[in-house]
Amino acid sequence: MKHTPVGAALTTLAVVLLAGCGVRPTGVLDGGESAGGLTKGLRLYFVSQAGRLEGVARPGVPASRVTDPKAVIKYLLAGPVASERDAGLTTLLGDDGSYDATVDGDRVTVHIPQGALLGSPVENRNLKGQLVCSIARARAMADGNGTTRTDDVRVTIRPRADGRPGTYVCSDFLK
């Protein structure tokens, strides 16, 4: 096979055009610190119209205001804000106010009102998930060292009357 001067010239021209496309080499660029850890502010979990838990941020609520699970329960009882309601989010916690919680290290026990778990199995699961994930997230966020993960916090849901308590981590509800 014989190479012609025209073929060689076209090949050289193509190489020059492709190599000189205007992109100049640069050194390594620093993109800053990578994202990691928990977002700032409280995160609450509400139920979507599709029946799934969805986390919503409350960036204006500092960790110092959510160290007590009772405060998280009050936020859940207040329900989603208008824009979240418009997006189809709701709370399954009743407003009878007889929710209570105690803390022992990374363990939280939530006493729920009699009759709170009279909904469908999906509603009962989502109600528990709202409590477990919201409380666990707040406890992890309030950890001054930043070493507590959400699933390090175990939440026991204890119905006030008859009913068996169950102990959960947030990932039990986000599967």
Side-chain angles (χ1 to χ4, degrees), residues 78-135:
V81 297
S83 61
E84 295 162 352
R85 285 191 307 272
D86 292 345
L89 297 180
T90 189
T91 184
L92 297 178
L93 276 69
D95 61 358
D96 71 0
S98 61
Y99 291 84
D100 194 19
T102 55
V103 178
D104 182 12
D106 286 339
R107 295 188 169 279
V108 178
T109 301
V110 179
H111 298 273
I112 63 174
Q114 181 175 352
L117 298 176
L118 292 179
S120 71
V122 171
E123 288 173 330
N124 291 344
R125 183 180 194 284
N126 282 334
L127 182 142
K128 292 175 189 176
Q130 279 190 264
L131 288 164
V132 171
C133 290
S134 297
I135 289 170

Side-chain angles (χ1 to χ4, degrees), residues 112-115 158-164:
I112 63 174
Q114 181 175 352
R158 183 175 297 277
R160 287 203 183 273
D162 55 347
R164 296 178 206 220

Side-chain angles (χ1 to χ4, degrees), residues 148-172:
T148 302
R149 296 173 314 134
T150 302
D151 275 356
D152 291 340
V153 180
R154 303 213 176 273
V155 180
T156 299
I157 304 293
R158 183 175 297 277
R160 287 203 183 273
D162 55 347
R164 296 178 206 220
T167 301
Y168 310 94
V169 294
C170 183
S171 63
D172 292 339

